Amino acid sequence: MGLLNLFGTKKSYLKSGLLYGMTDIHSHILPGVDDGIKTYEKSVKTLHWLKEKGIRRMYLTPHVMSDLQKNTRIYLTEQFNAFIKRLEEDKVEDIPVLKLGSEYMLEAAFEKHREEGLITYADRHVLVETSYMLPPAGFTRILEKLMEDGYSPILAHPERYNYMDEHDYKYLKSQGVLFQLNYLSLTGTYGQYAKEKGAQLLKNGYYDYAGSDFHHLKHHKNSFTAKTLTRKQQLAIRELFENNNRLWSKNDEVNISYGSAT
């Protein structure tokens, strides 16, 4: 096989080696708090599987939105601490190191959460999302207020927003909004539209971070073995994963963690 064919061969996330030692900044594995994994046992099984595949550190980022009224900063912190305590009591090993984050829906209820204080990465970065079909009222002003308060918003999976176009992406980036790729979008997990849009945004250098947005092992398992990544995509995603690692390593005084990265 010639060099051109070798470098043109597409690989999966598992075969590419991209997952080894990486930090995942977006997942729904904290059990029983949102539309992600529902039980402790399934969470542990999933975490074992992810560690086996090379993932070393994970933020658990449950949804915070009006449909999930329980999910406040206090409640989610309690649920995370209870999860950590049970893992310790059960002496669970061979899972990624865990920290708590959250994924905030930008909607009317978000203002209350902002006033109460947000769950962040490294004390200032906050993961946010919107409806896939329409932006929230005052979208750009919400982001401006976040930044005025000293937060650095990370927009989750911009490739999935049907209402956004190139003008929107350029404007948000010019305002200092960071972008997080759902890296499984590139395997077609979220449909052809998100796959193509994600590939274009990645090519154009819009993304700052990448996360799995992991909800259920059964749903995502095959995505890790899909041979869809070009050589250029692999190199670009590796840079995003390195950014993830740097985000994890920043000072984060209020967040406890559990697990071993070795």
Side-chain angles (χ1 to χ4, degrees), residues 8-9 19 23 39 42 57-58 70 86 140 148-149 174 180-181 205 210 224 236 258 262:
T9 301
L19 299 181
T23 298
T39 69
K42 287 184 178 180
R57 295 162 293 270
M58 296 194 74
K70 279 187 175 182
R86 187 169 177 184
T140 56
E148 288 170 2
D149 287 347
S174 73
Q180 175 252 303
L181 166 69
F224 287 88
Y258 176 84
T262 59

Side-chain angles (χ1 to χ4, degrees), residues 53-65:
K53 303 310 174 188
I55 296 172
R56 292 295 178 262
R57 295 162 293 270
M58 296 194 74
Y59 280 97
L60 309 186
T61 56
H63 290 290
V64 179
M65 57 176 65

Side-chain angles (χ1 to χ4, degrees), residues 85-104:
K85 182 179 180 182
R86 187 169 177 184
L87 292 172
E88 291 173 341
E89 290 173 345
D90 291 346
K91 295 181 172 57
V92 175
E93 298 179 347
D94 296 323
I95 65 172
V97 185
L98 306 176
K99 287 184 180 180
L100 178 64
S102 285
E103 182 184 17
Y104 289 92

